Amino acid sequence: MGKYIVKRLLVSILTILLITTITFFMMHAIPGGPFTREKPVPPEIRRILEAKYHLDDPLIKQYADYMIGLFTFDLGPSFSRIGVSVNDLILGGLPASAKIGALASGLIVVLGIPFGIISALKQNKPIDYFVMFMATLGVTIPSFVIATLTIFIFAGKLGWLPTFGIDTWQGYIGPVLALSGYSLSFVTRLTRSTMLEVLRQDYIRTARANGISELKVMMKHAVKNALIPVVTYLGPMIAAILTGSFVIERIFVIPGIGRYFVESITNRDYTTIMGVTAFYAAFYILMVLLVDVAYAYIDPRIKFTKGTR
């Protein structure tokens, strides 16, 4: 296990390096720059700004300087926010994104897995039809549509929720519902399908034939094995949700990482785009690694040996 984790960490570092390199050169390949505006900046001012941020250096030197900063955890200054570093933007936006993401992830796990299990155990019963209808509805409706309907109905018409911000606990309801809608429905459907497949296995019939209680069969054998594909999905999903949804944060005017990322693209803020991309990639890779490690605890048959990985 230890050798496997070290190997994965080295591969993860190389992956982050590759992603950052591709992002860097793609940003510089796009016409224009961070100081390109609808109202042209005077050439003298533009030259001063480019010299200040070393944008007039050769591209290879800019790349080397940025990679040195990346591995020393210095993501550089933001070009669109004077006097603010990319580190400050990420640290400032992370709490809001993490709060909403944690609530949405908790809702998905607490509701999605039990709903899927109940639906599988009550296959072709009214509760199964109802759960699958709601899950299908949740998968087909985009998150921005849920967000818009939430604002229109519960904020605009009924006045139960604020239209934007998360200053009160009611403000979290809209973003959490919109952010968790698709994943909650997907986890429910995935849990149901894997649970039904496990329930048809021979070892489940054998356990029942040996007189083991139904509750023990379900909890020790069926549910545990059915959760392996679900855990595979939950790792990357949690990484995506915790780092912020670009669309949802924009709609609800939440000062999270996603909002800053969208603004940085509009403003062609190279350092912010690359910094948020590197942060997201690192967090995503970490969650995938944790999922792989969790496999060994969920199913002891999985061993990370030279012959299996």
Side-chain angles (χ1 to χ4, degrees):
M1 176 69 77
K3 292 182 179 179
Y4 171 76
I5 294 176
V6 172
K7 181 180 178 181
R8 285 298 304 270
L9 286 175
L10 293 176
V11 173
S12 299
I13 293 174
L14 291 176
T15 303
I16 295 173
L17 178 63
L18 179 62
I19 292 173
T20 307
T21 300
I22 294 174
T23 305
F24 179 89
F25 286 104
M26 286 182 64
M27 289 297 98
H28 286 78
I30 298 175
F35 306 116
T36 303
R37 299 289 186 269
E38 293 182 3
K39 183 178 180 180
V41 178
E44 297 80 5
I45 302 298
R46 184 171 180 174
R47 282 195 294 270
I48 293 174
L49 290 173
E50 290 178 348
K52 177 182 178 180
Y53 293 109
H54 303 286
L55 295 178
D56 55 350
D57 292 340
L59 189 59
I60 297 299
K61 185 177 184 306
Q62 294 184 47
Y63 171 73
D65 291 341
Y66 184 79
M67 297 310 296
I68 292 173
L70 177 66
F71 284 98
T72 57
F73 301 101
D74 180 10
L75 300 177
S78 170
F79 294 151
S80 59
R81 296 174 180 266
I82 305 301
V84 180
S85 67
V86 177
N87 294 52
D88 294 334
L89 288 179
I90 293 177
L91 293 176
L94 183 59
S97 296
K99 287 178 183 178
I100 297 174
L103 291 172
S105 300
L107 185 66
I108 292 166
V109 173
V110 170
L111 296 183
I113 294 176
F115 282 169
I117 294 174
I118 293 172
S119 183
L121 296 177
K122 301 294 183 180
Q123 185 183 15
N124 298 327
K125 299 292 180 61
I127 188 172
D128 179 34
Y129 294 139
F130 175 75
V131 171
M132 284 298 97
F133 171 77
M134 297 301 296
T136 303
L137 200 63
V139 169
T140 55
I141 300 178
S143 59
F144 66 88
V145 175
I146 298 176
T148 304
L149 290 176
T150 301
I151 294 175
F152 178 74
I153 298 174
F154 296 102
K157 295 295 184 180
L158 300 177
W160 293 351
L161 303 177
T163 55
F164 63 89
I166 51 175
D167 298 327
T168 61
W169 67 268
Q170 293 94 335
Y172 287 91
I173 296 177
V176 168
L177 288 178
L179 197 56
S180 62
Y182 174 84
S183 295
L184 174 59
S185 302
F186 187 86
V187 167
T188 300
R189 293 170 61 89
L190 181 60
T191 304
R192 177 184 182 273
S193 62
T194 54
M195 189 71 178
L196 287 174
E197 183 179 351
V198 168
L199 290 176
R200 299 188 183 102
Q201 299 299 315
D202 292 338
Y203 64 85
I204 297 295
R205 288 193 290 268
T206 302
R208 286 170 172 169
N210 288 334
I212 300 176
S213 65
E214 188 67 17
L215 179 61
K216 190 173 182 179
V217 171
M218 289 297 105
M219 299 306 298
K220 187 176 180 180
H221 300 285
V223 173
K224 197 171 183 180
N225 290 309
L227 286 181
I228 294 178
V230 178
V231 171
T232 303
Y233 173 76
L234 287 179
M237 180 213 74
I238 292 175
I241 291 179
L242 286 180
T243 50
S245 171
F246 306 151
V247 177
I248 301 303
E249 290 184 4
R250 189 71 173 179
I251 292 175
F252 287 97
V253 195
I254 298 172
I257 297 178
R259 179 185 175 189
Y260 293 142
F261 186 74
V262 173
E263 292 178 353
S264 68
I265 295 176
T266 304
N267 297 324
R268 301 183 184 183
D269 192 341
Y270 293 161
T271 51
T272 302
I273 295 173
M274 292 184 293
V276 174
T277 302
F279 175 79
Y280 176 81
F283 196 75
Y284 186 95
I285 292 171
L286 175 62
M287 293 305 301
V288 172
L289 176 60
L290 292 178
V291 166
D292 288 345
V293 174
Y295 283 162
Y297 295 96
I298 295 176
D299 190 348
R301 296 172 299 176
I302 300 176
K303 299 297 181 182
F304 300 109
T305 61
K306 184 177 179 180
T308 59
R309 300 295 290 184

